[in-house]
Amino acid sequence: MSDSAYLRLSNGDWSDCLHDSLRFLRHAWSHEWPGLPALLDRCAAFLGLEGAEGETRSLQAAAHAAAAQIELEEGRSPGGDEPGYHNRLHFADTLTCLTLQTALEARLHRGDARWQAALLLIAVGHDMRHPGRNNLHTSDIESLSVEALMPFMQEQNISAEWIDRVSTVILRSDFALVRENHERVNGHPFTWNTDWASVLLNEADIMASLSETFGPPLSLSLAKEWEIADFPAHRWVATPEGRWKFINSVRLTSQSSRILGAQETLQAQLDAGPSPN
C-alpha cells in the first residue's frame, strides 16, 4: 500500500482521509514500518508547520527527538518488551487522529501554530515508555510518560509555560479523567487551551478503537497486553460485552470528531445495541 494514502485529503472528505490513513498504518506495521519520526514529519507538513520558528520550532524539535528515541528503543517498556497495545502503532494512531483534529480546529477557528506543534509533541509522548499495565493511582502511568518526555523538552529550552501545558494535557489523558475533561469544556466554545487540548487528546486516543474496522483487533491487542500484566479485565475486554462497555464509555465533544465521522460511528453502534454472543 503506497504511503500516498497517508494523510491524503481528497475531495474534502476528512472521514475517508482518517480511514485510509489508519489503514496505511496497519499495512506499514505489518510490512515496512516508516518510523515515528517520518510519520511526524508528514503530520507537521500536513499542518503547515515546516520552517516554523521560535517556540513552535522548539516544540517540534522535542517531538522529533522523542520520536527518534522511541524508535531507537523499539517502543519497549521499562524492563520489558514493547506492549501489545500501547506500542508505536498506537502512538501513530493517536498522532494521526490528533493531527487531523488539529487541522480541522485550525480551519474552524483561528489557528495557533504553537498549540498545533504542542499537540504533536503530546501525541508522541502521551504513552512514552508505557509499562503495559493499568494505573495504580490517578495519572500514575501518565506521570511516567511526562518524566520520560521532560529531558527532550528541557534540551530544546521549551519555556516553563509550555512544559506545564504539555505535561498537564498528558496527565489528564488518564481514562479516569475523561468525563471530567469533557465537562470542563461543556458549554464553552473551542479555544486553544489545556482544557480543549485534553479533550482532543482523549478523543484521538480512542478514535481508532471506536472504528468497527480497526477496533476489534485493537481490543485483542489490549487483551494480550493485560493478560501479561495479570489484569483480570483481559478475559472480557475483547468480547462483545467488552466492546459494548467501551462504546458506552466513549465521550465525543469536538466539532472535529464530528467531521471525521467519529460521532456518527459511535451513534450507529449505540443505536444497533450490544452484539449477540
Side-chain angles (χ1 to χ4, degrees), residues 39-135:
L39 293 171
L40 180 62
D41 287 343
R42 293 285 295 273
C43 292
F46 189 83
L47 294 174
L49 296 177
E50 295 168 307
E53 300 294 336
E55 195 89 61
T56 303
R57 183 176 183 176
S58 297
L59 290 161
Q60 283 186 262
H64 207 278
Q69 185 62 37
I70 291 168
E71 281 296 337
L72 181 65
E73 297 173 351
E74 297 183 329
R76 287 190 293 271
S77 63
D81 296 328
E82 184 168 23
Y85 174 86
H86 290 97
N87 52 26
R88 287 166 290 162
L89 177 59
H90 171 66
F91 294 179
D93 280 345
T94 305
L95 175 64
T96 300
C97 295
L98 198 51
T99 294
L100 289 170
Q101 289 189 271
T102 301
L104 277 165
E105 298 298 346
R107 289 192 179 199
L108 293 166
H109 310 94
R110 193 171 196 177
D112 187 316
R114 292 174 302 171
W115 264 112
Q116 291 176 64
L119 284 163
L120 295 182
L121 174 58
I122 287 165
V124 168
H126 80 290
D127 278 330
M128 192 173 183
R129 294 182 186 157
H130 195 287
R133 60 167 174 82
N134 276 53
N135 276 333

Side-chain angles (χ1 to χ4, degrees), residues 11-275:
N11 302 317
D13 195 324
W14 290 84
S15 179
D16 277 355
C17 180
L18 172 61
H19 184 274
D20 290 347
S21 297
L22 294 177
R23 188 160 58 93
F24 163 76
L25 290 175
R26 277 141 187 82
H27 183 270
W29 186 247
S30 301
H31 293 82
E32 189 173 353
W33 183 242
L36 286 176
L39 293 171
L40 180 62
D41 287 343
R42 293 285 295 273
C43 292
F46 189 83
L47 294 174
L49 296 177
E50 295 168 307
E53 300 294 336
E55 195 89 61
T56 303
R57 183 176 183 176
S58 297
L59 290 161
Q60 283 186 262
H64 207 278
Q69 185 62 37
I70 291 168
E71 281 296 337
L72 181 65
E73 297 173 351
E74 297 183 329
R76 287 190 293 271
S77 63
D81 296 328
E82 184 168 23
Y85 174 86
H86 290 97
N87 52 26
R88 287 166 290 162
L89 177 59
H90 171 66
F91 294 179
D93 280 345
T94 305
L95 175 64
T96 300
C97 295
L98 198 51
T99 294
L100 289 170
Q101 289 189 271
T102 301
L104 277 165
E105 298 298 346
R107 289 192 179 199
L108 293 166
H109 310 94
R110 193 171 196 177
D112 187 316
R114 292 174 302 171
W115 264 112
Q116 291 176 64
L119 284 163
L120 295 182
L121 174 58
I122 287 165
V124 168
H126 80 290
D127 278 330
M128 192 173 183
R129 294 182 186 157
H130 195 287
R133 60 167 174 82
N134 276 53
N135 276 333
L136 303 176
H137 309 286
T138 302
S139 301
D140 174 17
I141 293 173
E142 291 74 19
S143 297
L144 298 176
S145 297
V146 169
E147 182 181 342
L149 191 60
M150 189 64 70
F152 300 98
M153 294 192 285
Q154 293 173 335
E155 286 168 9
Q156 297 301 325
N157 296 313
I158 292 174
S159 68
E161 178 184 29
W162 279 98
I163 287 178
D164 180 67
R165 287 170 174 168
V166 169
S167 301
T168 296
V169 174
I170 292 175
L171 291 173
R172 287 193 194 171
S173 66
D174 183 346
F175 282 123
L177 301 177
V178 168
R179 182 180 294 275
E180 177 184 334
N181 290 337
H182 284 267
E183 288 174 350
R184 283 174 182 266
V185 302
N186 186 36
H188 297 283
F190 180 88
T191 189
W192 298 101
N193 60 21
T194 53
D195 287 345
W196 270 106
S198 297
V199 166
L200 293 182
L201 177 59
N202 285 157
E203 293 177 345
D205 208 10
I206 53 85
M207 203 169 287
S209 295
L210 180 60
S211 162
E212 293 184 87
T213 301
F214 309 118
L218 287 170
S219 294
L220 288 171
S221 297
L222 185 59
K224 292 176 182 177
E225 178 177 305
W226 283 353
E227 183 176 14
I228 292 172
D230 199 26
F231 185 58
H234 78 85
R235 299 185 183 91
W236 55 260
V237 69
T239 66
E241 293 84 0
R243 176 78 181 169
W244 181 242
K245 183 175 182 179
F246 164 69
I247 292 299
N248 275 276
S249 74
V250 170
R251 298 290 179 270
L252 298 171
T253 300
S254 71
Q255 286 180 273
S256 53
S257 69
R258 175 180 56 79
I259 296 170
L260 288 169
Q263 294 186 15
E264 183 179 358
T265 296
L266 173 62
Q267 192 59 52
Q269 293 176 81
L270 290 171
D271 291 344
S275 300

